[in-house]
Amino acid sequence: MGWLTRDIERAPCTVEISHRFESLHAHLRFNNGAVIWPGDEVQVKGPEIMAPFGEIVTEDREAIIVRASKLERLWTRLTGDFEVMELCEFSFSEEVTL
């Protein structure tokens, strides 16, 4: 991998979508042990997965991993903390604002 080049990998994966009262989540597990690093992009191939309320849906898919170049990875590490701080500016509450 060079300073400006990006590599592309294909990886088998398992997608789990939960639409239950106890847990609303979407998880992706790479079945070949692939690891995602800062700046990498992942696209899961196939149609949208919808889980009916109260259920968990699990499907095997293929993921396309676009690896960040060394320069992109460095930039992501340097600026990542600032982006996380933007998330800290928001909060969730039960109060309704009009």
Side-chain angles (χ1 to χ4, degrees), residues 17-30:
I17 308 291
S18 173
H19 190 185
R20 298 179 7 184
F21 179 77
E22 307 83 32
S23 178
L24 179 64
H25 68 259
H27 292 285
L28 175 71
R29 184 183 69 244
F30 294 108

Side-chain angles (χ1 to χ4, degrees), residues 6-56:
R6 303 175 104 200
D7 294 328
I8 297 176
E9 290 181 33
R10 295 182 182 277
C13 64
T14 301
V15 179
E16 178 184 282
I17 308 291
S18 173
H19 190 185
R20 298 179 7 184
F21 179 77
E22 307 83 32
S23 178
L24 179 64
H25 68 259
H27 292 285
L28 175 71
R29 184 183 69 244
F30 294 108
N31 299 336
N32 66 351
V35 177
I36 301 302
W37 300 102
D40 291 347
E41 298 173 15
V42 177
Q43 180 182 18
V44 178
K45 304 305 280 182
E48 182 177 301
I49 301 171
M50 296 295 293
F53 183 75
E55 293 187 24
I56 296 175

Side-chain angles (χ1 to χ4, degrees), residues 57-76:
V57 176
T58 303
E59 289 191 16
D60 289 326
R61 297 281 180 98
E62 180 184 48
I64 307 294
I65 304 169
V66 180
R67 298 289 182 187
S69 66
K70 288 182 181 180
L71 185 60
E72 289 171 317
R73 186 157 294 148
L74 177 63
W75 178 253
T76 302

Side-chain angles (χ1 to χ4, degrees), residues 70-87:
K70 288 182 181 180
L71 185 60
E72 289 171 317
R73 186 157 294 148
L74 177 63
W75 178 253
T76 302
R77 286 182 187 268
L78 292 173
T79 62
D81 291 339
F82 299 119
E83 292 182 20
V84 169
M85 292 309 294
E86 286 181 26
L87 293 174

